[in-house]
């Protein structure tokens, strides 16, 4: 604390990212990164961008990331003008709060969801109301069709992993026409249907995606928003009042190359999904209740074991999972899908910890 802090800084509760342990070989299942590397074309593209002398780095990058947007537009069958790019989808979401969600009515998002949403709401002084998930952690979008300044939810949701059918999203869009509906699709490629195909029909729909998960590029920080050109213009107005060059040259080259290797992306998603199904079944066999997941993580609890204690015991074995000290979910662990070897290490450690309890 300092008398030099602004009022808003005094009031902030910053988001706390998952731990990045400084160990040689941690089993890191705590931040939903992809266990597989990005396409080899990404490495080639970065090398090409650097060249022999890295001379290109003297110059600022393309502020509009034109080539990247055109590549991603071709991938989704939309126009580059319908795409906004930012420094990770976190930054995209931040601009969304400022550009599109600050209105007279409070915005609505689920009570159990990505914990950055309330953080941004406080930072940008956007009023919000949370809508409770049901007992099985499902979102009921009909409950969002009330006067609001905007609606925001991830599909699949985090940290639960549960996905909504596109038909539910479309039903909400038909009823909620006076404010922006933001669908955060950080995990969509692991098992949900994308709403990008609806942006031509609903001028108030904004879909947010990232290269951090399915394209294995969390380290490059690239995220997108897809929507009507007027929504994209609002985001560009905020971006150009904040930082004209959010994506550096290497990030633009890397993300563009990743979108040009569809086979690699599909293969990596398929492997993660297969491991998720196996891990879910094995955790269930160990006595865990596992929420059905369409993401690259599972959300699970064990009736006989305190989740925080389990996370600490796993940490002692250099296995990192995420535990949230939050109402309704403090007995759950969020476990990112690792390689098969990492999933096995987790399962063996759990067998060890649960000991005689599991026959
Ligand atoms: C639901 C959700 N949205 C957005 C993000 C942000 O992703 P990034 O900033 O890496 O693009 C995350 C990251 O974990 C997330 O879980």
């Amino acid at each position: 604390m300092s008398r030099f802090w602004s009022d808003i800084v005094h009031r902030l509760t910053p988001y706390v990212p998952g731990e990045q342990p400084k160990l040689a070989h941690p089993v890191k299942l705590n931040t939903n990164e992809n266990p597989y590397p990005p396409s080899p074309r990404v490495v080639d593209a970065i090398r090409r961008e650097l060249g022999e002398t890295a001379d290109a780095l003297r110059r600022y990058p393309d502020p509009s990331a034109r080539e990247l947007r055109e590549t991603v537009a071709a991938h989704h069958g939309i126009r580059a003008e319908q795409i906004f790019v930012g420094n990770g989808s976190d930054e995209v979401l931040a601009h969304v709060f400022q550009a599109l969600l600050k209105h007279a009515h409070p915005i609505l998002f689920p009570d159990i969801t990505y914990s950055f949403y309330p953080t941004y709401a406080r930072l940008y002084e956007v009023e919000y109301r949370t809508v409770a998930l049901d007992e099985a952690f499902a979102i009921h979008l009909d409950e969002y069709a009330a006067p609001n300044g905007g609606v925001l939810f991830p599909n699949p949701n985090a940290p639960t992993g549960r996905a909504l059918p596109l038909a539910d999203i479309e039903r909400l869009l038909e009823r909620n026409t006076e404010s922006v509906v933001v669908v955060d699709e950080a995990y969509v490629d692991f098992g949900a249907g994308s709403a990008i195909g609806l942006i031509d029909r609903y001028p108030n729909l904004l879909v947010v995606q990232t290269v951090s998960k399915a394209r294995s590029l969390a380290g490059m920080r690239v995220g997108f928003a897809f929507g009507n050109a007027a929504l994209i213009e609002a985001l560009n107005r905020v971006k150009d009042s904040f930082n004209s060059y959010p994506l550096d040259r290497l990030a633009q080259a890397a993300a563009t190359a990743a979108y040009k290797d569809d086979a690699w992306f599909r293969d990596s998603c398929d492997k993660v999904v297969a491991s998720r199904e196996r891990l879910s079944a094995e955790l269930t066999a160990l006595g865990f209740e596992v929420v059905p997941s369409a993401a690259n993580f599972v959300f699970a609890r064990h009736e006989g074991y305190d989740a925080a204690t389990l996370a600490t015991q796993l940490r002692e074995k250099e296995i990192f999972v995420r535990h949230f000290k939050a109402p309704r979910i403090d007995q759950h662990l969020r476990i990112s899908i690792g390689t098969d070897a990492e999933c096995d290490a987790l399962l063996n450690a759990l067998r060890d910890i649960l000991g005689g309890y599991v026959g």
Side-chain angles (χ1 to χ4, degrees), residues 15 31-32 86-93 113-117 120 153-159 184-187 208-213 217-219 221-224 297 334:
Y15 173 77
T31 48
N32 297 344
N87 193 263
S89 57
D90 280 338
E91 186 187 80
V92 174
L93 287 165
T113 194
Y114 187 34
S115 45
F116 232 129
Y117 300 163
Y120 284 137
F153 57 90
N155 191 36
N157 195 10
D184 177 351
E185 295 189 340
Y187 303 102
V208 176
Q209 290 197 357
T210 177
V211 299
S212 297
K213 315 294 178 182
L217 286 177
R221 313 304 302 127
V222 179
F224 307 97
F297 56 85
R334 193 198 66 190

Side-chain angles (χ1 to χ4, degrees), residues 156 161 187-192 269-283 290-299 335-338 340 343:
Y187 303 102
V188 74
D189 300 305
F190 301 106
C269 290
D270 288 349
K271 284 192 286 197
V272 169
V273 169
S275 302
R276 177 187 74 210
E277 296 311 303
R278 185 175 76 90
L279 182 65
S280 301
E282 302 255 11
L283 287 171
V290 184
V291 179
S293 172
N296 67 338
F297 56 85
V298 292
F299 202 50
I335 305 169
S336 310
I337 306 304
D340 279 338
C343 292

Side-chain angles (χ1 to χ4, degrees), residues 58-308:
R58 288 190 301 114
R59 306 277 185 213
Y60 283 103
D62 174 2
S64 75
R66 183 91 216 165
E67 192 190 347
L68 172 58
R69 285 188 303 117
E70 278 171 359
T71 305
V72 175
H75 175 83
H76 288 298
I78 59 175
R79 286 177 285 112
E81 291 65 41
Q82 295 171 299
I83 305 181
F84 174 78
V85 294
N87 193 263
S89 57
D90 280 338
E91 186 187 80
V92 174
L93 287 165
H95 292 339
V96 170
F97 269 79
Q98 259 195 323
L100 299 167
L101 296 180
K102 196 169 168 141
H103 298 290
H105 289 294
I107 64 165
L108 306 177
F109 53 76
D111 63 336
I112 299 167
T113 194
Y114 187 34
S115 45
F116 232 129
Y117 300 163
T119 302
Y120 284 137
R122 282 188 294 266
L123 175 62
Y124 293 117
E125 301 185 299
V126 172
E127 276 189 61
Y128 67 92
R129 186 164 70 74
T130 59
V131 181
L133 301 186
D134 74 11
E135 287 300 301
F137 292 147
I139 296 177
H140 293 279
L141 283 184
D142 291 342
E143 294 166 17
Y144 291 70
N148 63 67
V151 174
L152 167 63
F153 57 90
N155 191 36
N157 195 10
T160 66
R162 281 199 86 119
L164 280 166
L166 269 186
D168 288 16
I169 296 175
E170 196 159 5
R171 202 166 59 241
L172 175 70
L173 286 163
E174 274 158 12
R175 293 169 69 184
N176 190 90
T177 53
E178 299 307 307
S179 70
V180 174
V181 173
V182 184
V183 187
D184 177 351
E185 295 189 340
Y187 303 102
V188 74
D189 300 305
F190 301 106
S194 174
I196 289 179
L198 300 177
I199 60 173
D200 279 330
R201 267 186 285 149
Y202 298 97
N204 60 331
L205 169 63
L206 195 78
V207 179
V208 176
Q209 290 197 357
T210 177
V211 299
S212 297
K213 315 294 178 182
R215 288 187 173 74
S216 307
L217 286 177
M220 295 311 291
R221 313 304 302 127
V222 179
F224 307 97
F226 304 92
N228 180 282
L231 300 186
I232 302 304
E233 186 189 340
L235 295 172
N236 277 318
R237 288 173 70 100
V238 169
K239 170 217 155 214
D240 287 326
S241 309
F242 176 78
N243 175 7
S244 302
Y245 305 103
L247 258 61
D248 65 53
R249 285 177 173 274
L250 304 187
Q252 292 190 30
T256 304
Y259 273 86
K260 288 184 174 164
D261 196 348
D262 214 43
W264 185 276
F265 152 74
R266 293 203 181 282
D267 184 57
S268 149
C269 290
D270 288 349
K271 284 192 286 197
V272 169
V273 169
S275 302
R276 177 187 74 210
E277 296 311 303
R278 185 175 76 90
L279 182 65
S280 301
E282 302 255 11
L283 287 171
T284 307
L286 285 177
F288 282 86
E289 271 171 55
V290 184
V291 179
S293 172
N296 67 338
F297 56 85
V298 292
F299 202 50
R301 60 174 288 169
H302 196 298
E303 264 213 343
Y305 286 84
D306 175 61

